[in-house]
Amino acid sequence: MNKQWQIELEKIIKDKKRLLSNPADLLSYGFDGSFGQYQPERVVQPINREEVADIMKLANTFGVPVYPRGQATCLSGGPLPVRGGIVLDTCKMKDKLTIDSENLTATVSPGVITSKIKEAAEKEGFFYPPDPSSAHVSTIGGNVAENSGGPRGLKYGVTGNYVLGLEVVTPQGEIIRTGGQTIKNVTGYNLTQLLVGSEGTLGVITEVTLRLIPKPKSRVSLLVVFDDLVASGKAISGILSSGIMPSAMEIIDQHCINAVERHKPAGYPVDAAAILLIELDGHPKAIEEEMVEADRICREIGAREVQTASDEEDQKKLWEARKLVSPAIAKIKPTKISEDATVPRSKIPEMFERLSEIREKYNVELVVFGHAGDGNLHPNILTDKRDQEEMKRVEMAVSEIFESAIEVGGTLSGEHGIGTMKAPFMEKELGKIGLEMMRRVKEAWDPNDVMNPGKIFPQDGQTKLVLTE
Amino acid sequence: MNKQWQIELEKIIKDKKRLLSNPADLLSYGFDGSFGQYQPERVVQPINREEVADIMKLANTFGVPVYPRGQATCLSGGPLPVRGGIVLDTCKMKDKLTIDSENLTATVSPGVITSKIKEAAEKEGFFYPPDPSSAHVSTIGGNVAENSGGPRGLKYGVTGNYVLGLEVVTPQGEIIRTGGQTIKNVTGYNLTQLLVGSEGTLGVITEVTLRLIPKPKSRVSLLVVFDDLVASGKAISGILSSGIMPSAMEIIDQHCINAVERHKPAGYPVDAAAILLIELDGHPKAIEEEMVEADRICREIGAREVQTASDEEDQKKLWEARKLVSPAIAKIKPTKISEDATVPRSKIPEMFERLSEIREKYNVELVVFGHAGDGNLHPNILTDKRDQEEMKRVEMAVSEIFESAIEVGGTLSGEHGIGTMKAPFMEKELGKIGLEMMRRVKEAWDPNDVMNPGKIFPQDGQTKLVLTE
């Protein structure tokens, strides 16, 4: 028999195609790109903010958890319905994608795929820099909720740096607008940036206003090959302290290089200890000079080889191969645990050393790639969740990765979010009071704890990662 | 006789030179760069975070209002001790100013003067872009609390865009750290950006970690003269939609030009309707091309004259004159009311028209300059607060400026903050619930309302500006 709230929900979403309850649907809305599988009681697909507001009012009244999600490419468990209830899928809210050429802004519905925004902007001569690897499948609503990053964080910042304003449905079902259309706005608290990266725990995003910038005139890419991982770390510092600000600077270690070459050969040198992929953008004359300078710096530090790619096709190939790293390493073993520990740039060589010790110590398949220019590494552990003994070791390895990042002055998460997996480590980074001040915001906004409950904040006494069942 | 909290305060700040209570001191800590004069009961000058924490614990226990301030150059009343209590002057906390060349960050005490950060960064080849006109006197703590802007917002953003982490004493006297040293950080809510621009109502800033960027290789400036204000607005759009992103683009109207020339002649053309001051920075080749292009666009739209300045001395002169606008217009009449209504760039011509109507309608001395490139205008009204009849008209004119900004899709404040003067208009821009969601944060963090009370949030029923006594 249906519960009262389920009956009420049918009055809000009358279109049966947008209110799902059969087991197959519930199953397919129970996971994301991270670890774990849960079962919601209902899945709804609202098409406008009024429906979202009505759903939240109902949820708030009946105390039913609501789990908002876009395409669920999330790597930290953000959309997981850990306490059942309602999954609120925003993918059908995708009718708006307006470029305002005079004000250099884009206004978009939350369900719009991020790469479509980029394309629309480029058609008008503009540039939307945030470029998470999932951009061709993930939604802008999800990107904003998780404050997605990607390779371009170094020079251009992350999603949040481009969000000027939001329309949001609060946990109690009220529709508010934050920020606006202007770059400068100090009218009261910055609720926009409070909501960005809040992982759907403070509201449901129903519209986003984004800042665009002029499209850079040209781009070049470099592939730099190193026989020594530490040297590659030094090259990163060397380039940045020379005054060059690459639009992207990625590192790929030997394990990842080999995985890519096995998966879909890209011509990466399989015997290299690491490669750096560097993108420079701007005025043609400027990047020509910078390219020569970067080449010189890398060779001086001990790069074995520097390849440059100026034409669009060659560059595309280089970067497409980079995007294959994640799917390629996923083939090594059935379970992939992807982290995003982020450290001050100067600590990259030290972090590499620590990661290699962790690999040895726990005998786990630990590989590393990531956005080296901004210190945002992606240590990935490839494992098999059915192997309970190995999972114990993985658990300890992951914990030690988190601890190492904090110890060298870094942070638990650079771009994936906290979700379920990193919640136990929050207090270690933020301290008791730091975490308490976040919790106060959550409680003030969502007194009945219905908005994506079970995320970010550790459950009572939860201070350890548990991956085994 | 001293109150109990005053006796306790003496136990925290034992150095009598840093705990002020004589009438002359209290008087001189009772105003800022805005309108109004109030009287605190005590002024304290803590020298470290522990003293700040103890002061806040005491204030929280006894329910005494605490008003943090830096150099009080604030134009919106942020530091005004509107309910008496304690003024907490952070100017003596200025021992730390560390540039980290490897991580491109600066870590600074709140009392450090902003221009000193810029100088220290430049010595190492880096650039700290935020450039409020008060930078040579205002403190970084105040800049962060108010999220100060300046001419460079267009290309480089405002103070908040450079704040990576904070150390803050909460309203209840706990010391927390937010953010960190990395560009990417999504570990829980973005408390850093919640605190930036919160005008000292959520905590006292005791340390700031700032992001630096490589210093642009070169700079040029253009002075563009227009016989028609609307044409100057069109030139702004024309330049931006051509793909050029100037590092600054300022507008100065005829009234302001004349005031500057009377104050300290800079060679600005006194018969022009408006002038644009444009700064381009980047690679020498790139800005050379952009300079030619900007010149062409401006002339095509009807500029009477375009002067270019490439050498450092000439540029310095141009921009120093720009910084004189505010002191120069202050000489017109004894009271200067400086606003910072900010509109979407495309609405600048419309806003200019409205401002000129307001000038006529209320017969007030209304002049305009500002950061035209990012829509952040500075309508200033010159008046005399002793003239009650004129003040009534000023009141109405200011209200109509606020309303106009909101009506064209802009915001009450681009960079000065809300403080006391704009609080009555908050609900008009944010809506009842939008404002309520801000208030919930304030109440959750500061349950006893001791942290800069009386700011941002309108008092009960307060919906109108009152400048007369």
Side-chain angles (χ1 to χ4, degrees):
Chain A
M1 218 187 77
N2 281 346
K3 296 175 186 166
Q4 188 60 36
W5 68 263
Q6 293 167 344
I7 297 163
E8 300 290 329
L9 191 57
E10 284 171 20
K11 294 180 196 160
I12 297 170
I13 308 290
K14 295 202 178 87
D15 179 355
K16 285 189 179 161
K17 284 192 207 127
R18 298 194 285 110
L19 173 52
L20 316 176
S21 60
N22 80 59
D25 287 326
L26 299 183
L27 190 73
S28 67
Y29 279 88
F31 59 91
D32 67 355
S34 76
F35 193 87
Q37 168 86 43
Y38 301 84
Q39 173 118 332
E41 293 169 78
R42 290 291 182 273
V43 175
V44 289
Q45 300 175 318
I47 50 171
N48 56 47
R49 61 182 191 169
E50 289 77 17
E51 285 186 354
V52 175
D54 286 343
I55 294 163
M56 288 317 305
K57 278 191 185 123
L58 172 131
N60 186 54
T61 304
F62 287 91
V64 180
V66 175
Y67 293 95
R69 65 169 245 167
Q71 290 282 12
T73 54
C74 188
L75 294 167
S76 62
L80 294 178
V82 295
R83 297 186 191 162
I86 299 168
V87 165
L88 190 158
D89 175 8
T90 58
C91 289
K92 289 211 190 298
M93 295 174 73
K94 58 177 180 185
D95 50 311
K96 198 173 200 174
L97 171 46
T98 314
I99 306 290
D100 179 339
S101 302
E102 270 194 290
N103 292 308
L104 273 73
T105 58
T107 305
V108 284
S109 303
V112 171
I113 302 296
T114 304
S115 62
K116 293 216 186 291
I117 300 169
K118 195 175 296 282
E119 285 161 22
E122 286 191 1
K123 233 182 252 168
E124 308 278 327
F126 303 125
F127 183 35
Y128 173 68
D131 188 27
S133 294
S134 62
H136 58 295
V137 280
S138 60
T139 65
I140 188 66
N143 286 187
V144 172
E146 298 289 332
N147 197 6
S148 301
R152 297 218 172 93
L154 169 61
K155 180 171 180 177
Y156 289 111
V158 294
T159 302
N161 298 109
Y162 294 84
V163 182
L164 293 177
L166 294 172
E167 182 187 78
V168 171
V169 174
T170 71
Q172 296 176 299
E174 303 283 356
I175 299 163
I176 62 169
R177 281 191 167 271
T178 72
Q181 277 241 316
T182 58
I183 290 165
K184 287 179 174 173
N185 182 323
V186 292
T187 298
Y189 301 154
N190 194 338
L191 298 186
T192 306
Q193 295 303 325
L194 175 64
L195 285 155
V196 168
S198 65
E199 305 188 21
T201 63
L202 296 178
V204 182
I205 295 160
T206 53
E207 194 175 281
V208 184
T209 303
L210 297 165
R211 177 170 72 94
L212 304 174
I213 61 173
K215 197 171 153 183
K217 288 208 168 72
S218 65
R219 253 180 216 136
V220 294
S221 296
L222 289 86
L223 172 77
V224 190
V225 184
F226 289 92
D227 288 326
D228 174 30
L229 195 59
V230 176
S232 71
K234 285 185 189 158
I236 295 164
S237 301
I239 288 170
L240 289 170
S241 56
S242 78
I244 297 172
M245 184 61 94
S247 46
M249 181 144 56
E250 299 283 303
I251 194 160
I252 309 175
D253 81 352
Q254 191 169 34
H255 307 290
C256 294
I257 295 170
N258 282 294
V260 169
E261 290 301 311
R262 278 196 307 270
H263 177 67
K264 192 176 166 193
Y268 284 173
V270 292
D271 61 334
I275 55 176
L276 286 185
L277 262 178
I278 302 171
E279 185 192 74
L280 301 166
D281 71 3
H283 188 276
K285 291 276 179 218
I287 60 175
E288 202 182 295
E289 276 178 25
E290 289 179 353
M291 191 168 69
V292 172
E293 177 71 0
D295 184 317
R296 191 189 59 75
I297 293 168
C298 290
R299 285 183 203 271
E300 237 176 60
I301 287 166
R304 186 173 87 190
E305 195 190 337
V306 183
Q307 293 173 25
T308 56
S310 299
D311 80 86
E312 213 168 308
E313 265 316 296
D314 290 349
Q315 292 194 65
K316 217 174 144 189
K317 237 184 271 172
L318 274 186
W319 287 96
E320 271 173 2
R322 161 63 186 84
K323 292 208 171 180
L324 290 177
V325 172
S326 197
I329 60 174
K331 290 200 163 176
I332 297 175
K333 282 191 166 189
T335 307
K336 172 171 167 282
I337 294 177
S338 171
E339 287 313 328
D340 64 329
T342 299
V343 300
R345 231 158 9 219
S346 62
K347 301 291 184 184
I348 290 176
E350 184 178 341
M351 192 65 187
F352 271 132
E353 265 169 49
R354 286 187 180 229
L355 290 171
S356 122
E357 281 164 25
I358 291 169
R359 184 184 163 95
E360 292 295 313
K361 184 169 166 190
Y362 298 107
N363 186 26
V364 288
E365 190 86 35
L366 173 61
V367 304
V368 189
F369 65 99
H371 319 307
D374 54 28
N376 180 198
L377 301 175
H378 289 310
N380 273 250
I381 299 181
L382 294 320
T383 181
D384 184 341
K385 67 177 169 186
R386 293 160 301 185
D387 182 344
Q388 297 270 310
E389 184 277 324
E390 182 167 301
M391 287 308 281
K392 282 274 169 219
R393 282 183 285 120
V394 170
E395 236 170 62
M396 289 186 284
V398 172
S399 296
E400 205 164 315
I401 293 172
F402 292 150
E403 279 156 17
S404 298
I406 296 173
E407 274 169 30
V408 303
T411 184
L412 284 174
S413 179
E415 58 181 18
H416 292 172
I418 298 303
T420 49
M421 271 187 54
K422 287 168 223 141
F425 299 87
M426 287 290 275
E427 194 175 315
K428 196 162 276 175
E429 179 171 337
L430 300 168
K432 207 178 159 63
I433 308 287
L435 185 57
E436 155 74 10
M437 297 315 277
M438 287 188 188
R439 208 190 290 267
R440 286 192 193 186
V441 175
K442 169 67 173 166
E443 287 171 359
W445 276 45
D446 182 17
N448 297 327
D449 200 21
V450 294
M451 193 83 257
N452 205 5
K455 307 298 166 64
I456 298 182
F457 300 100
Q459 305 309 301
D460 280 344
Q462 187 196 359
T463 60
K464 255 191 70 188
L465 177 71
V466 181
L467 298 176
T468 48
E469 275 130 41
Chain B
M1 219 187 76
N2 282 346
K3 296 178 187 165
Q4 187 60 34
W5 68 262
Q6 292 168 343
I7 296 163
E8 300 289 330
L9 191 57
E10 285 172 18
K11 294 179 194 160
I12 298 170
I13 308 290
K14 295 201 179 86
D15 179 355
K16 285 189 179 161
K17 284 192 208 127
R18 299 194 284 109
L19 173 51
L20 316 176
S21 59
N22 79 59
D25 286 327
L26 299 183
L27 189 73
S28 67
Y29 280 88
F31 60 91
D32 67 355
S34 76
F35 193 87
Q37 168 85 42
Y38 300 84
Q39 172 117 333
E41 292 169 78
R42 289 291 181 274
V43 175
V44 288
Q45 300 176 317
I47 50 171
N48 57 47
R49 60 182 191 172
E50 288 76 17
E51 285 186 354
V52 175
D54 286 343
I55 294 164
M56 289 317 305
K57 278 191 185 123
L58 171 128
N60 186 55
T61 304
F62 287 91
V64 181
V66 175
Y67 294 95
R69 65 170 245 167
Q71 290 281 13
T73 53
C74 187
L75 294 167
S76 62
L80 295 178
V82 295
R83 296 188 193 160
I86 300 169
V87 165
L88 191 158
D89 174 9
T90 58
C91 289
K92 290 210 188 298
M93 295 175 73
K94 58 176 181 183
D95 51 312
K96 198 173 200 173
L97 170 48
T98 314
I99 307 290
D100 180 339
S101 302
E102 270 193 290
N103 292 308
L104 274 72
T105 58
T107 305
V108 284
S109 303
V112 171
I113 302 295
T114 303
S115 62
K116 294 217 184 290
I117 301 169
K118 193 174 296 280
E119 285 162 22
E122 288 192 0
K123 234 183 251 169
E124 307 280 327
F126 302 124
F127 183 35
Y128 173 68
D131 189 26
S133 294
S134 62
H136 58 294
V137 280
S138 61
T139 65
I140 188 66
N143 286 187
V144 172
E146 297 290 331
N147 198 7
S148 302
R152 297 217 172 92
L154 170 61
K155 179 171 182 178
Y156 289 110
V158 292
T159 302
N161 297 107
Y162 294 84
V163 182
L164 293 176
L166 294 172
E167 182 187 79
V168 171
V169 174
T170 70
Q172 296 175 298
E174 304 283 354
I175 300 162
I176 61 169
R177 281 193 167 271
T178 71
Q181 278 241 314
T182 59
I183 291 166
K184 287 178 173 172
N185 183 324
V186 292
T187 298
Y189 301 153
N190 194 340
L191 299 186
T192 306
Q193 296 303 326
L194 175 64
L195 285 155
V196 169
S198 65
E199 306 188 18
T201 64
L202 296 177
V204 182
I205 295 160
T206 52
E207 194 176 281
V208 184
T209 303
L210 297 165
R211 177 169 72 94
L212 304 174
I213 61 173
K215 196 172 152 183
K217 287 208 170 72
S218 64
R219 251 179 218 135
V220 295
S221 296
L222 288 86
L223 172 76
V224 191
V225 184
F226 289 91
D227 288 325
D228 173 31
L229 195 59
V230 176
S232 71
K234 284 185 189 157
I236 295 165
S237 301
I239 288 170
L240 289 169
S241 57
S242 79
I244 297 172
M245 183 61 93
S247 45
M249 182 144 53
E250 299 283 304
I251 194 161
I252 308 175
D253 81 353
Q254 191 168 34
H255 307 290
C256 294
I257 295 171
N258 282 296
V260 170
E261 290 300 312
R262 277 196 306 271
H263 177 64
K264 193 177 166 190
Y268 284 173
V270 291
D271 61 333
I275 55 176
L276 286 185
L277 262 179
I278 303 171
E279 185 192 73
L280 302 165
D281 70 3
H283 189 276
K285 290 275 179 217
I287 59 176
E288 202 182 295
E289 276 179 25
E290 288 178 355
M291 191 169 69
V292 172
E293 177 72 0
D295 184 320
R296 191 190 58 75
I297 293 168
C298 289
R299 285 182 201 273
E300 237 177 59
I301 287 167
R304 184 173 89 189
E305 194 191 338
V306 183
Q307 294 172 23
T308 55
S310 298
D311 79 86
E312 212 167 308
E313 265 316 296
D314 290 349
Q315 293 193 63
K316 218 174 142 188
K317 237 184 271 171
L318 274 186
W319 288 95
E320 271 173 2
R322 160 64 187 84
K323 290 206 173 181
L324 289 179
V325 172
S326 198
I329 59 174
K331 289 201 164 175
I332 298 176
K333 280 192 166 188
T335 307
K336 171 171 168 282
I337 294 177
S338 170
E339 286 315 326
D340 65 326
T342 300
V343 300
R345 232 164 0 225
S346 62
K347 301 290 183 186
I348 289 177
E350 183 177 341
M351 193 64 188
F352 272 132
E353 265 169 49
R354 286 187 179 228
L355 289 172
S356 120
E357 281 164 27
I358 291 169
R359 184 185 163 93
E360 293 294 313
K361 184 168 165 191
Y362 298 106
N363 186 25
V364 287
E365 189 85 35
L366 173 62
V367 304
V368 189
F369 64 100
H371 319 308
D374 54 27
N376 179 195
L377 300 177
H378 289 309
N380 273 251
I381 298 182
L382 294 320
T383 179
D384 183 341
K385 66 177 169 185
R386 292 161 301 188
D387 182 343
Q388 297 270 313
E389 184 277 325
E390 182 166 302
M391 287 310 280
K392 282 273 167 220
R393 283 183 283 120
V394 170
E395 238 171 58
M396 288 187 283
V398 172
S399 295
E400 204 163 318
I401 293 172
F402 293 150
E403 278 155 18
S404 298
I406 297 173
E407 272 169 32
V408 304
T411 184
L412 284 175
S413 179
E415 57 179 19
H416 292 172
I418 298 303
T420 49
M421 271 187 55
K422 288 169 221 142
F425 299 86
M426 287 290 276
E427 194 175 315
K428 196 162 274 177
E429 178 170 338
L430 300 168
K432 206 177 159 64
I433 308 287
L435 184 58
E436 155 74 10
M437 297 315 275
M438 287 188 189
R439 209 190 289 267
R440 287 192 193 188
V441 175
K442 169 67 173 169
E443 287 170 359
W445 275 46
D446 182 17
N448 297 327
D449 200 19
V450 294
M451 193 84 256
N452 205 4
K455 308 297 167 65
I456 298 182
F457 301 100
Q459 306 309 301
D460 281 343
Q462 188 195 0
T463 59
K464 254 192 70 190
L465 178 71
V466 181
L467 297 176
T468 47
E469 276 130 40

